[in-house]
Amino acid sequence: MNGAVGEERGGEALFEDQHFPSDDTSLFCDRSTPIARLQGEITWRRPQEICHSPALFHDKISLCHAKQGLLGDCWFLCACTFLLKNKQLLNKVLPPEQPQWGDSRYRGSFQFSFWQQGHWTDVTIDDRLPCINSTLCFSRCQTSSAFWVALLEKAYAKLHGSYERLWAGQVSEALVDFTGGLAERWSLGVAEEEQRPEQDSDQVSRRSLDLKLLYPVKEECALSCATHSSPGGASELGQYHALNVMEWVEVQRVSGSKVLLLRIRNPWGRGCWGGAWTGSGLGWSSVDPVCASELQARVAEGEFWLDETEFLSQFDDVTVGYPITDEGQLKSIYTGNLLMHQHQLAGRWMGGHSAGGSRNCSSYSSNPKFWLRVCGRGEVLVSLLQHRKWRAADHCAHATLEDSKNTTHQHYQAIALHMWKVEKRRFHLSRTLNKPPCASTHCHAFEREVVLREQLEPGYYLLIPSTYQPGAEARFLIRAFSSSATSLSALKSPAPTLPLETDGEWETSYFRGSWVEGRTAGGSRNFLSHWQNPCFPFTVCDESAVTSGANVRITLHQRRPDTDLHPIGFHIYKCSEGESEKTLPRDEDPAASCVPHCHTQDVSLACGLSPGAYAIVPSTYRPDCSANFTLSLARRIRRSPLGLSLERDCTADSVGFCCCCCCVIVMDLCVSFRKVVKSKESLGRAIQEISHISVMQS
């Protein structure tokens, strides 16, 4: 995620990021948030143009804390506060020793790193920051001379596609992006079951928080709290606001009883609380004056104390980020155990194949399945993390904000994870799924990640991730963390088969091809180079026996790791009679298309085409994205009255060629045809023997 160099300053070129430019395209997505009113008022300035002696950090840690500006990203700022507590994680996100202002090596750029879908992603930005009247208009540090927060916010905005996409979010997401670990959201007080449409048969209420549970890791974990409505003592907080829990201590009152006090930090950088434990509150008179003075001295700008009763009554939920050791290993927030064994596997829910929906659906068993082998008794956490519906590379082209008040539903499916203990050698899927799972997450939730935690005995466990709605498509990552040795593997499902039609059979051809940078990677129809993509001609013959429905099914499969996919799609063009197969009708619309381009392993299309000559042009969304791919073409073929397939000879060739270099791909098809055999059994069910097609590459 780099850009280009430009702008001369002091005789040296300063970096200008062309991929995230200093204009409205980096600020706004669809102008659905309040910052849209800033359009035309924002200028971009480098730190040395904002203050005389800029630096990334200030020597005084309290002045390095984040202060929220005009952007509603308190969730992001809460995660920034946790980074200040953990230097090892801060150095991972913001690598040290980068040349700063005043350094002869300074070139106006900074590099950051974020954890995304299973791996760390580097993001490079220039240091031009959005300002109003020479003052930073979004997040900043408590002192105007420190810029690490503003630069980190810009890098995170680039990762998401725009600043506007940081408006509203979950603290848990930013914590995971900054640490590569886990974070959970818990309810405060007594949790009540919510009557929501995404409930399923395994519904349980969201677990409630017991602060005593966190005592073993209280100095290492991240803890934030949030309010979803205006609390009585903090009326200016508004609809949703996240704050940091900096510490909590148990204090003895003069009377001999104990009270739990929590120090809260507001990302706004100013106090917003008027309870019993403010500077002159009555609460302090109930504790020893020396203790009261010591605790009050810890309060920095924007912080305040409250007791446990106030905390539980004024906030709705908390987010707990798991501790991570210097070696990058996770610690359990439940036991403090080191979860030294870690595994991850990518998967996807694909409509019509592996998107089976919840356990209420008959298609549940078609969901992706995974084996978890536990070698010794121990604590095991399994998380299901789904990918957002949009990516930074898409910018805003395919983003639709359906409800600005509910960002969770915009970007995520309602998901859940279920687990069964099984005997692998005597495993029967349908019988297993008829039994209650040994563990599961809570009811399907519109969360990016859900976490299942259990003490497990040695053996094999079946894991099934699901969306609530059948047919809902998304990519996901399964992660397992454990105190004892484990292994994680995918249970391979059989390839999807084409439906059997009573008025025809299906013949399938397979082609292998490549998008090669500078040659055959032409990109989508948005680019003039589109016609350089590989091209695969085929013919639809006169099928008088077929009167309706799909007669062609095409699937494009890219051969790349699931964590590094290109957005892919394809168009089908009809060729005019007498035209050369190398010449496509560039001025005419495609006869059919499988778009928009999607970040998935496979894209498919079933359509009905009239008789004639056609060509398939598969492509990535952007040009010069190299990858290998496989294209499958299934055509319905008619039968004679005797039940024989008559469309092709016993041996035929299918030829594909690349438009730019005429590189020919030949697949020999040996086709054996058999009669359709119908039984006369009393069951009355016709048994059909389908023509077998074997494919051999020459």
Side-chain angles (χ1 to χ4, degrees):
M1 302 183 72
N2 297 323
V5 174
E7 185 183 344
E8 293 290 330
R9 183 176 179 86
E12 298 179 345
L14 295 183
F15 177 73
E16 292 184 4
D17 189 355
Q18 301 302 316
H19 294 168
F20 198 66
S22 298
D23 57 33
D24 285 357
T25 62
S26 298
L27 290 171
F28 309 113
C29 179
D30 66 352
R31 295 173 174 79
S32 63
T33 68
I35 67 169
R37 66 177 184 269
L38 301 178
Q39 185 174 358
E41 297 184 25
I42 292 179
T43 58
W44 299 76
R45 298 179 183 274
R46 298 188 189 266
Q48 64 268 33
E49 299 171 326
I50 299 173
C51 73
H52 292 297
S53 301
L56 285 175
F57 299 94
H58 192 277
D59 293 338
K60 191 175 181 180
I61 191 69
S62 62
L63 296 180
C64 293
H65 279 299
K67 184 175 182 179
Q68 190 173 347
L70 299 178
L71 187 61
D73 58 354
C74 54
W75 58 283
F76 159 78
L77 300 178
C78 285
C80 290
T81 298
F82 179 60
L83 286 181
L84 281 180
K85 287 178 58 177
N86 191 314
K87 188 174 182 180
Q88 177 257 340
L89 289 175
L90 180 60
N91 288 342
K92 180 73 174 178
V93 173
L94 175 52
E97 309 302 330
Q98 298 192 53
Q100 300 182 37
W101 311 273
D103 190 319
S104 60
R105 299 173 299 152
Y106 164 75
R107 291 295 180 270
S109 66
F110 288 89
Q111 181 177 310
F112 296 84
S113 189
F114 302 103
W115 188 90
Q116 292 285 285
Q117 290 98 38
H119 61 275
W120 287 91
T121 299
D122 291 336
V123 177
T124 300
I125 58 168
D126 63 36
D127 60 356
R128 295 177 293 177
L129 299 170
C131 299
I132 295 179
N133 298 328
S134 301
T135 301
L136 292 175
C137 59
F138 297 145
S139 300
R140 69 203 81 171
C141 293
Q142 287 285 7
T143 175
S144 60
S145 62
F147 288 88
W148 80 276
V149 169
L151 291 169
L152 178 62
E153 183 183 56
K154 180 173 183 177
Y156 204 50
K158 179 179 179 179
L159 186 74
H160 284 70
S162 71
Y163 276 91
E164 195 171 40
R165 280 188 170 164
L166 300 188
W167 188 283
Q170 294 294 336
V171 178
S172 57
E173 295 183 21
L175 283 173
V176 172
D177 290 346
F178 289 174
T179 66
L182 290 178
E184 293 190 50
R185 190 156 59 96
W186 291 353
S187 294
L188 286 174
V190 178
E192 297 180 358
E193 294 185 355
E194 300 175 359
Q195 297 302 317
R196 299 188 302 175
E198 66 268 21
Q199 290 173 350
D200 62 17
S201 57
D202 299 293
Q203 175 203 334
V204 292
S205 60
R206 183 185 292 278
R207 70 191 68 176
S208 58
L209 173 71
D210 180 2
L211 283 172
K212 295 178 182 177
L213 176 71
L214 300 176
Y215 262 82
V217 293
K218 63 176 294 189
E219 302 300 328
E220 304 167 88
C221 69
L223 188 63
S224 69
C225 53
T227 174
H228 299 270
S229 58
S230 299
S235 58
E236 65 173 322
L237 287 181
Q239 277 295 313
Y240 176 86
H241 190 52
L243 303 90
N244 286 102
V245 179
M246 304 301 291
E247 65 170 325
W248 67 94
V249 294
E250 198 169 53
V251 178
Q252 187 165 341
R253 298 180 190 265
V254 175
S255 63
S257 62
K258 292 184 177 180
V259 59
L260 184 67
L261 298 181
L262 301 96
R263 179 161 57 94
I264 309 297
R265 184 177 187 282
N266 182 8
W268 288 342
R270 63 181 189 275
C272 60
W273 183 248
W277 301 90
T278 55
S280 57
L282 296 177
W284 296 112
S285 62
S286 66
V287 301
D288 178 76
V290 175
C291 177
S293 177
E294 179 186 340
L295 293 178
Q296 287 178 304
R298 299 184 192 178
V299 175
E301 186 71 25
E303 297 181 353
F304 55 91
W305 287 98
L306 44 66
D307 60 38
E308 185 176 16
T309 301
E310 293 174 323
F311 182 74
L312 295 176
S313 66
Q314 298 301 327
F315 295 101
D316 296 297
D317 60 49
V318 299
T319 297
V320 185
Y322 282 61
I324 296 190
T325 67
D326 291 345
E327 293 75 29
Q329 294 178 332
L330 212 66
K331 266 191 178 181
S332 169
I333 59 176
Y334 298 92
T335 62
N337 290 338
L338 194 62
L339 305 176
M340 61 185 71
H341 302 276
Q342 303 181 18
H343 307 278
Q344 65 181 36
L345 284 176
R348 71 189 185 282
W349 294 289
M350 188 169 64
H353 174 40
S354 61
S358 71
R359 294 185 70 215
N360 297 335
C361 305
S362 59
S363 55
Y364 177 76
S365 61
S366 66
N367 282 301
K369 292 167 278 290
F370 297 85
W371 285 122
L372 175 68
R373 183 187 179 190
V374 179
C375 301
R377 188 180 191 280
E379 184 177 8
V380 178
L381 283 87
V382 184
S383 85
L384 169 62
L385 186 151
Q386 62 176 310
H387 296 198
R388 293 182 80 107
K389 294 179 185 177
W390 47 260
R391 292 168 59 104
D394 295 335
H395 220 59
C396 303
H398 304 300
T400 302
L401 294 182
E402 303 157 349
D403 180 2
S404 61
K405 296 181 180 179
N406 196 335
T407 59
T408 305
H409 290 56
Q410 292 165 18
H411 307 304
Y412 298 125
Q413 304 289 350
I415 59 172
L417 181 64
H418 294 80
M419 175 192 290
W420 288 263
K421 192 175 191 301
V422 297
E423 294 290 338
K424 188 175 181 182
R425 293 183 180 179
R426 301 166 62 183
F427 168 66
H428 190 282
L429 181 60
S430 60
R431 292 174 188 168
T432 298
L433 299 186
N434 284 331
K435 300 176 183 178
C438 67
S440 68
T441 58
H442 307 295
C443 61
H444 283 76
F446 288 100
E447 305 274 2
R448 186 175 77 166
E449 186 170 26
V450 294
V451 180
L452 179 157
R453 180 259 179 186
E454 285 291 322
Q455 291 283 345
L456 296 181
E457 299 294 334
Y460 284 94
Y461 295 83
L462 175 69
L463 294 170
I464 299 186
S466 63
T467 59
Y468 180 73
Q469 293 289 348
E473 295 193 338
R475 291 193 297 146
F476 62 83
L477 190 71
I478 289 278
R479 297 194 286 164
F481 304 85
S482 58
S483 58
S484 60
T486 57
S487 65
L488 182 67
S489 59
L491 192 158
K492 299 297 183 183
S493 299
T497 56
L498 292 169
L500 305 181
E501 305 286 347
T502 57
D503 57 353
E505 300 176 5
W506 291 87
E507 178 188 69
T508 305
S509 307
Y510 297 89
F511 306 95
R512 292 181 180 272
S514 299
W515 294 296
V516 181
E517 182 178 354
R519 294 179 57 201
T520 61
S524 67
R525 294 184 75 210
N526 295 342
F527 303 93
L528 295 176
S529 56
H530 172 69
W531 306 104
Q532 297 175 5
N533 286 297
C535 172
F536 299 90
F538 68 97
T539 302
V540 175
C541 297
D542 181 13
E543 299 185 32
S544 57
V546 179
T547 59
S548 63
N551 59 355
V552 173
R553 299 178 187 272
I554 299 169
T555 298
L556 173 64
H557 172 85
Q558 59 174 313
R559 304 201 298 276
R560 290 178 66 84
D562 206 47
T563 55
D564 189 27
L565 297 174
H566 294 312
I568 59 172
F570 59 83
H571 297 284
I572 304 171
Y573 297 92
K574 188 168 185 179
C575 303
S576 301
E577 187 175 353
E579 262 189 350
S580 167
E581 290 180 332
K582 300 178 185 178
T583 304
L584 293 178
R586 304 188 180 189
D587 297 329
E588 297 181 12
D589 291 333
S593 299
C594 185
V595 291
H597 290 70
C598 298
H599 284 86
T600 58
Q601 207 100 44
D602 303 277
V603 291
S604 300
L605 176 69
C607 58
L609 298 178
S610 60
Y614 295 87
I616 308 167
V617 178
S619 68
T620 58
Y621 179 71
R622 294 185 179 278
D624 293 332
C625 295
S626 296
N628 297 320
F629 63 83
T630 301
L631 192 70
S632 68
L633 167 65
R635 285 172 290 180
R636 191 187 296 177
I637 54 178
R638 62 190 173 96
R639 296 193 300 265
S640 72
L642 295 176
L644 291 172
S645 298
L646 296 180
E647 184 174 310
R648 305 195 62 161
D649 296 330
C650 289
T651 306
D653 293 332
S654 289
V655 180
F657 61 86
C658 167
C659 293
C660 65
C661 62
C662 299
C663 177
V664 179
I665 305 169
V666 180
M667 306 290 288
D668 289 335
L669 302 178
C670 180
V671 186
S672 60
F673 298 106
R674 302 183 183 180
K675 277 191 177 184
V676 173
V677 180
K678 293 188 177 180
S679 73
K680 297 181 180 180
E681 295 180 4
S682 58
L683 293 176
R685 180 176 297 176
I687 299 177
Q688 194 169 268
E689 185 175 353
I690 302 302
S691 298
H692 294 274
I693 301 175
S694 60
V695 180
M696 298 172 290
Q697 183 173 3
S698 61

